[in-house]
């Protein structure tokens, strides 16, 4: 049946993203737990993964990727998550804001704004889609901030302006975090901070917060996706807020593929 050929049809390869991402660790575990011995997950980057998706989708070729919500690809393509009966990818996850120890004392206004930051999949989707269609991240962020001054006012409520204090945010180049980090960067700039946004891999992101070389990050996926990092740096960072809930990671395929579960990948 065509199910047995699904491995052949994608050369037993799952197209992943940066090697340090939690979804890559989860996929390594999935290959073991579902006994997908002949399969491998190809690491690269989020951008390379979406380029491979476009190439396959335009030709209606089979492809299996590591996917997550929120992501613009679900607005652009007809995609579905493969069922995960063993629960390797967890259920609803949240994106947390983490800060270095001492941020509250050093930059109290920024600390308050960062811990107040909260938005939803629709908000983030608008920024991600603008960026995907070619707008520079900082311009897409500025546009969203301008169009959503009511939401921004809730985040900055009760905070005073600052004059030129420096703040360093680290993030990982996942479309969701490019959007959130640029939006918060704009908000902090309007507050008077001199903001630097530094793009790093997931491991160095957690390390920078733990060693205090960066001030905060909006890229912490918890409780499961980044559990290994949160455990490794337990006590060395502060979890100061949840910016979005009900997010999700898993294996994603175009709906034109007949498979529905990770179990279907077995020979
Ligand atoms: C790819 S998700 C945005 C986060 C992660 O898997 O580490």
């Amino acid at each position: 049946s065509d199910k047995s050929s699904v491995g052949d049809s994608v050369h037993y390869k799952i197209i992943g993203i940066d090697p340090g991402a939690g979804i890559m660790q989860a996929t390594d575990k999935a290959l073991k737990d579902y006994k997908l011995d002949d399969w491998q997950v190809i690491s690269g980057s989020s951008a390379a993964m979406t380029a491979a998706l476009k190439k396959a989708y335009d030709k209606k070729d089979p492809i299996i990727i590591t996917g997550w919500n929120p992501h613009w690809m679900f607005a652009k393509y007809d995609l579905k998550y493969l069922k995960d009966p063993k629960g390797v990818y967890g259920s609803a996850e949240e994106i947390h804001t983490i800060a270095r120890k001492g941020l509250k004392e050093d930059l109290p206004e920024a600390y308050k704004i960062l811990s107040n930051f909260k938005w939803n999949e629709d908000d983030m989707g608008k920024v991600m889609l603008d960026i995907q269609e070619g707008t520079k991240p900082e311009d897409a962020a500025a546009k969203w901030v301008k169009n959503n001054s009511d939401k921004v006012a809730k985040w900055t409520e009760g905070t005073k302006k600052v004059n030129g204090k420096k703040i360093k945010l680290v993030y990982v180049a996942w479309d969701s975090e490019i959007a959130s980090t640029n939006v918060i960067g704009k908000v902090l700039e309007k507050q008077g901070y001199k903001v630097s946004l530094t793009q790093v891999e997931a491991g160095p992101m957690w390390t920078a917060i733990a060693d205090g070389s960066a001030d905060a990050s909006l890229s912490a996926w918890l409780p499961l996706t980044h559990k290994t990092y949160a455990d490794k740096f337990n006590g060395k960072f502060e979890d100061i807020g949840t910016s979005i809930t009900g997010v999700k990671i898993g294996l994603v395929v175009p709906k034109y593929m007949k498979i529905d579960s990770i179990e279907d990948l077995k020979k």
Side-chain angles (χ1 to χ4, degrees):
S1 81
D2 64 349
K3 272 195 181 152
S4 62
S5 67
V6 67
D8 293 331
S9 72
V10 292
H11 312 293
Y12 294 90
K13 287 184 171 61
I14 293 166
I15 309 300
I17 55 171
D18 37 296
I23 201 168
M24 297 297 277
Q25 294 156 15
T27 302
D28 287 340
K29 187 170 182 320
L31 297 185
K32 282 191 201 75
D33 292 6
Y34 288 95
K35 298 187 175 34
L36 299 172
D37 311 332
D38 322 354
W39 287 75
Q40 56 177 146
V41 54
I42 306 296
S43 62
S45 68
S46 167
M49 179 269 283
T50 50
L53 173 61
K54 173 174 174 30
K55 192 159 172 281
Y57 196 90
D58 289 349
K59 296 190 292 182
K60 287 236 175 311
D61 281 348
I63 185 169
I64 304 169
I65 60 170
T66 54
W68 65 94
N69 278 93
H71 198 293
W72 53 264
M73 63 180 155
F74 290 92
K76 196 169 173 86
Y77 307 114
D78 217 4
L79 305 170
K80 62 184 175 184
Y81 279 92
L82 293 181
K83 287 185 186 58
D84 170 23
K86 293 177 187 293
V88 171
Y89 291 95
S91 48
E93 286 277 280
E94 302 172 327
I95 308 179
H96 289 228
T97 303
I98 56 174
R100 68 173 172 75
K101 305 292 269 187
L103 186 71
K104 188 168 188 172
E105 294 70 37
D106 300 343
L107 300 175
E109 308 295 343
Y111 182 93
K112 193 165 163 56
I113 293 167
L114 285 160
S115 50
N116 288 342
F117 174 53
K118 206 169 288 314
W119 64 347
N120 60 37
E121 184 153 0
D122 183 47
D123 296 321
M124 184 191 272
K126 288 191 176 75
V127 180
M128 281 196 289
L129 218 43
D130 274 356
I131 295 169
Q132 203 275 329
E133 283 164 2
T135 307
K136 279 198 316 191
E138 60 267 34
D139 297 341
K143 173 180 155 190
W144 189 89
V145 165
K146 189 162 147 291
N147 295 342
N148 292 273
S149 49
D150 50 333
K151 291 191 179 175
V152 175
K154 283 209 188 72
W155 307 338
T156 59
E157 196 173 346
T159 59
K160 296 185 298 299
K161 297 279 188 209
V162 299
N163 55 348
K165 280 192 177 172
K166 287 194 172 70
I167 185 164
K168 181 174 178 183
L169 304 181
V170 280
Y171 69 102
V172 191
W174 303 314
D175 302 82
S176 26
E177 283 59 36
I178 293 168
S180 57
T181 306
N182 276 278
V183 163
I184 272 297
K186 281 294 163 211
V187 172
L188 291 170
E189 258 173 34
K190 278 161 62 97
Q191 197 72 13
Y193 286 97
K194 198 166 165 17
V195 182
S196 74
L197 307 183
T198 305
Q199 178 189 311
V200 290
E201 297 280 309
M205 181 275 276
W206 276 92
T207 306
I209 298 296
D211 69 21
S213 58
D215 294 309
S217 176
L218 300 163
S219 308
W221 280 60
L222 291 167
L224 185 67
T225 310
H226 287 180
K227 182 173 176 0
T228 42
Y229 292 122
D231 292 348
K232 178 178 174 186
F233 296 110
N234 186 31
K236 297 205 178 86
F237 70 95
E238 217 187 312
D239 184 339
I240 67 171
T242 302
S243 64
I244 191 166
T245 58
V247 301
K248 180 179 169 54
I249 63 168
L251 293 186
V252 171
V253 299
K255 277 193 178 156
Y256 55 71
M257 289 181 72
K258 291 184 184 49
I259 51 175
D260 293 310
S261 167
I262 298 175
E263 299 277 14
D264 294 338
L265 301 186
K266 290 187 76 56
K267 267 200 162 10

